[in-house]
Amino acid sequence: MYYATRLSKHYDTNIYLKREDLNHTGSHKINNTIGQILLARELGKKRIIAETGAGQHGVATATVCALMGLECVVYMGETDVKRQMPNVLRMKMLGATVVPAMSGNRTLKDAGNEALRDWINNPETTYYLIGSVVGPHPYPDMVGRFQSIISEEIRWQLKEQRGSELPDYVMACIGGGSNAMGAFYHFLEEPAVKLIAVEAAGLGINSGETAASIAKGTVGIIQGAKTFLMQDEDGQITEPYSISAGLDYPGIGPAHAHLHETGRIKVIDATDQEALDAAFELTQLEGIIPALESAHALAGLRKIKFHSKETIVINVSGRGDKDMDTYIKHMNNR
Amino acid sequence: MNRINQLFQQKKENILSIYFTAGHPELNSTCDILQGLEKSGVDMVEIGMPFSDPLADGPVIQDSSSKALKNGMSLKVLFEQLASIRQNIQIPLLLMGYINPILQFGIENFCKKCKETGIDGVILPDLPMDEFQNHYQKYFDENDLRFIFLITPQTSAERVRMIDSVSKGFIYMVSSSSTTGAKGNIADKQVEYFNKIKAMKLNSPLVIGFGISNRETFTRACRYASGAIIGSAFVKMLAETDQWIEEIKSFINNIKN
């Protein structure tokens, strides 16, 4: 936990950053892959498959596979292979095979479909290491538990730094929802803590080019889970869009859908542009270049009126190295 | 009596079932294909309801599904096309696809429409048995609609028994741990699994599908079950010819004789 002095001053409140970007491999994804690789080893599996959007989960999976000496195949939408090249190269250097998914919009959902098909074809040798709180049971539960270390650490580190375990707000970006679930987990039973999830509006909620599954979704079944998803009136899943490959998913973890329905979490959204602005703001005020995904959480700061005495925790789920191409393009256009 | 049950009562072996995707190769080819199949002596047909994310399918059926959707196929259009199908077609007809489009159509409405149209059964690989029993079974039973469960080499003997006890039509025995599509031949390991299931002496008839593509694999599969299903190979044939009405006959003849 890091007290963001200049950012706090800018918003006239108290902002702490949960620095998941400082994890090995550069994001929160490693929390989950370490847990699941131990399970895979216990099950005696020899081959690991994974889906990835931004490549953060792919890199985290390739890393634990290298550590354990297990074969690793990562499915990644062809669109994402192109826009997240540094992560593709990291996975290859780690010894993983990266297979471009060529169906649909060639993004995260399509990578998940290909991974599920691989698993159907290789159920005996292969363990499917899912990267978010999505997919069939028990994955949403399991991944949520492995990521719950985020909120466990927020509690004791906030106590250490501020004398109270409970902030007024916890904010996180949400695509499938693994970093948000981790950041919210140990606060779910603490009604005083407001939990804010920021989904990716893409070009705008009503633009037709969006990945805001709560704002635009209806109840349906995607990849083995009943949840909110973006679909047409015939139940065909529609293609999402976000500048952020990690949030470019037409569904949302089923537990988040439930928490949204019960009102326990509040879901807001940020456009591509708002996320980019927030990324530059954090970089220039705190010297931290966030991942585009995490930038959506930071964009939420402008959407809520905070009191100067309040404590806000923002989960910086990953670092921005992989997004430099996009940031440079944006910088040139400014 | 439901036509599926009738068929399995009358015919105990070499039942040939064909799968094709509705709306492919053309939006309005559904009824012509059905007639061609019945005339050629096919015993049962599975009509695929195309879905944007067909997880259990290999490349051929994925491709046919996305083309069918582009052509404008939907459940609403399919039921319109099939509205008077029972004036011409006598063989059992099943719908096969994924649960989400049916949920959006409305499960109750879907089952009623099936009955009105003369559909005899439904296959949904992504609807697990307990979900079916807890939430959907009553609508199927009310409309005399058979829900067909799948088993694979990964299904435990205990679960196979449970599925057998819930099944009222037949059990769809997936030939190997696989998505749909031709594999070329049947391996020894598959025969071992077929024999294991056969030895369980289940109450429900067995039909083998996935990886059955030609006369050789069909004939071999029929040694261990009441019949077999050919899907991808048939869909591929439809995709590759302009003369599909004529080709259906020779495709089926090649399998049967």
Side-chain angles (χ1 to χ4, degrees):
Chain A
M1 290 274 282
Y2 167 84
Y3 185 70
T5 312
R6 295 187 69 213
L7 194 67
S8 296
K9 202 171 167 193
H10 184 75
Y11 285 100
D12 188 25
T13 188
N14 304 286
I15 300 169
Y16 286 83
L17 305 178
K18 177 71 173 90
R19 298 290 307 275
E20 291 296 305
D21 60 313
L22 295 179
N23 278 337
H24 183 47
T25 75
S27 81
H28 71 293
K29 293 292 188 187
I30 194 82
N31 298 333
N32 167 52
T33 57
I34 289 173
Q36 285 198 53
I37 204 72
L38 293 171
L39 179 63
R41 194 174 66 172
E42 181 66 24
L43 292 169
K45 303 291 181 179
K46 300 286 176 235
R47 180 173 175 268
I48 307 296
I49 56 171
E51 84 297 335
T52 196
Q56 299 293 76
H57 174 59
V59 168
T61 304
T63 299
V64 295
C65 287
L67 185 67
M68 296 284 175
L70 294 169
E71 185 190 348
C72 181
V73 176
V74 179
Y75 289 92
M76 186 171 190
E78 199 209 16
T79 309
D80 294 337
V81 168
K82 285 182 187 147
R83 63 177 162 172
Q84 305 278 223
M85 194 40 86
N87 274 345
V88 174
L89 299 174
R90 286 165 82 197
M91 285 185 268
K92 287 186 176 168
M93 185 167 171
L94 287 158
T97 306
V98 179
V99 182
M102 307 300 283
S103 55
N105 260 14
R106 305 178 177 187
T107 60
L108 180 54
K109 178 198 71 168
D110 313 299
N113 286 350
E114 289 308 323
L116 282 163
R117 289 185 185 116
D118 182 316
W119 204 25
I120 290 171
N121 282 283
N122 302 290
E124 285 174 41
T125 56
T126 299
Y127 179 84
Y128 181 15
L129 207 163
I130 294 190
S132 192
V133 288
V134 300
H137 176 75
Y139 283 103
D141 185 9
M142 181 164 65
V143 177
R145 284 171 202 253
F146 286 138
Q147 291 295 357
S148 70
I149 184 68
I150 299 172
S151 46
E152 196 180 312
E153 288 178 349
I154 292 174
R155 284 187 78 132
W156 70 258
Q157 292 178 13
L158 198 63
K159 171 98 178 170
E160 224 172 49
Q161 294 189 34
R162 209 165 167 79
S164 163
E165 284 185 22
L166 303 181
D168 296 289
Y169 289 87
V170 177
M171 298 177 67
C173 66
I174 191 165
S178 73
N179 93 83
M181 188 51 72
F184 297 164
Y185 202 91
H186 291 290
F187 297 110
L188 290 173
E189 309 290 322
E190 305 282 1
V193 182
K194 298 177 198 71
L195 305 175
I196 311 290
V198 187
E199 54 181 359
L203 299 183
I205 289 290
N206 296 314
S207 66
E209 297 288 331
T210 182
S213 329
I214 291 278
K216 298 308 281 184
T218 50
V219 175
I221 292 178
I222 179 170
Q223 294 175 340
K226 188 173 186 186
T227 186
F228 284 104
L229 59 107
M230 300 199 303
Q231 56 186 327
D232 67 16
E233 56 174 24
D234 295 324
Q236 307 298 342
I237 298 171
T238 52
E239 298 297 345
Y241 164 77
S242 166
I243 193 172
S244 146
L247 305 180
D248 201 350
Y249 185 70
I252 191 165
H256 286 299
H258 173 72
L259 292 167
H260 165 70
E261 274 202 330
T262 62
R264 181 62 193 97
I265 66 171
K266 184 171 159 61
V267 181
I268 60 176
D269 55 83
T271 62
D272 288 358
Q273 190 59 49
E274 288 167 335
L276 285 165
D277 291 345
F280 277 80
E281 183 176 87
L282 184 73
T283 304
Q284 286 160 14
L285 288 177
E286 298 290 345
I288 297 167
I289 302 179
L292 262 170
E293 290 74 26
S294 320
H296 284 74
L298 291 154
L301 280 172
R302 298 187 190 192
K303 308 209 164 203
I304 294 168
K305 181 77 195 116
F306 301 108
H307 195 276
S308 63
K309 295 260 165 53
E310 284 178 326
T311 305
I312 290 91
V313 174
I314 298 184
N315 195 31
V316 182
S317 54
R319 66 175 187 233
D321 309 38
K322 69 184 178 64
D323 296 310
M324 283 316 295
D325 275 358
T326 310
Y327 288 151
I328 290 163
K329 228 182 273 166
H330 180 65
M331 200 156 52
N332 294 339
N333 293 339
R334 280 188 129 191
Chain B
M1 193 197 274
N2 181 293
R3 292 178 199 85
I4 294 170
N5 301 113
Q6 235 164 23
L7 172 67
F8 285 94
Q9 214 172 61
Q10 287 161 5
K11 195 167 174 179
K12 307 285 180 198
E13 56 189 8
N14 298 322
I15 290 175
L16 173 59
S17 183
I18 295 286
Y19 167 97
F20 72 95
T21 306
H24 173 267
E26 287 158 26
L27 176 63
N28 294 313
S29 47
T30 316
C31 295
D32 292 338
I33 294 173
L34 283 172
Q35 295 213 357
L37 289 172
E38 185 172 72
K39 269 190 208 147
S40 309
V42 164
D43 298 299
M44 182 165 76
V45 179
E46 288 149 41
I47 306 167
M49 304 173 281
F51 181 47
S52 54
D53 294 76
L55 284 177
D57 287 303
V60 171
I61 295 179
Q62 283 177 49
D63 195 46
S64 69
S65 300
S66 59
K67 281 184 182 140
L69 291 173
K70 267 189 205 130
N71 287 343
M73 183 46 73
S74 66
L75 270 179
K76 194 166 160 275
V77 171
L78 181 59
F79 280 124
E80 280 165 18
Q81 290 181 349
L82 296 177
S84 51
I85 197 73
R86 282 302 173 196
Q87 292 174 7
N88 306 311
I89 305 277
Q90 317 308 324
I91 55 176
L93 298 176
L94 295 94
L95 296 183
M96 181 167 184
Y98 296 83
I99 181 72
N100 195 52
I102 293 173
L103 284 184
Q104 307 316 315
F105 191 84
I107 183 76
E108 211 174 336
N109 192 23
F110 172 80
C111 291
K112 272 189 202 150
K113 275 278 179 195
C114 283
K115 188 180 186 183
E116 273 172 38
T117 310
I119 298 296
D120 306 291
V122 176
I123 309 172
L124 303 171
D126 64 343
L127 181 59
M129 180 174 57
D130 18 349
E131 292 290 321
F132 170 75
Q133 286 179 293
N134 292 336
H135 303 291
Y136 304 105
Q137 185 168 7
K138 61 176 176 182
Y139 304 115
F140 283 77
D141 289 348
E142 277 166 20
N143 292 288
D144 197 31
L145 204 53
R146 299 289 170 263
F147 189 79
I148 308 302
F149 294 100
L150 291 85
I151 60 171
T152 79
Q154 298 292 305
T155 312
S156 67
E158 188 192 359
R159 195 170 170 89
V160 171
R161 290 271 177 226
M162 275 165 64
I163 284 174
D164 188 35
S165 70
V166 179
S167 293
K168 296 174 183 169
F170 62 91
I171 291 177
Y172 192 133
M173 181 152 72
V174 178
S175 74
S176 68
S177 297
S178 165
T179 43
T180 56
K183 301 289 175 298
N185 56 3
I186 290 176
D188 293 346
K189 203 176 160 194
Q190 288 172 273
V191 171
E192 205 178 294
Y193 151 67
F194 297 160
N195 276 326
K196 191 185 86 186
I197 300 294
K198 200 180 172 187
M200 288 178 77
K201 302 205 180 307
L202 303 175
N203 294 318
S204 318
L206 293 162
V207 182
I208 296 177
F210 286 43
I212 309 302
S213 58
N214 52 25
R215 187 174 160 191
E216 193 201 336
T217 44
F218 175 73
T219 313
R220 279 201 78 186
C222 285
R223 285 187 216 155
Y224 309 95
S226 305
I229 303 161
I230 297 176
S232 296
F234 183 73
V235 172
K236 188 160 180 268
M237 179 279 287
L238 292 178
E240 285 172 356
T241 175
D242 296 331
Q243 310 290 315
W244 45 265
I245 294 182
E246 294 78 28
E247 294 282 333
I248 289 173
K249 204 173 166 129
S250 65
F251 183 94
I252 300 302
N253 276 340
N254 283 339
I255 306 287
K256 288 176 72 110
N257 305 310

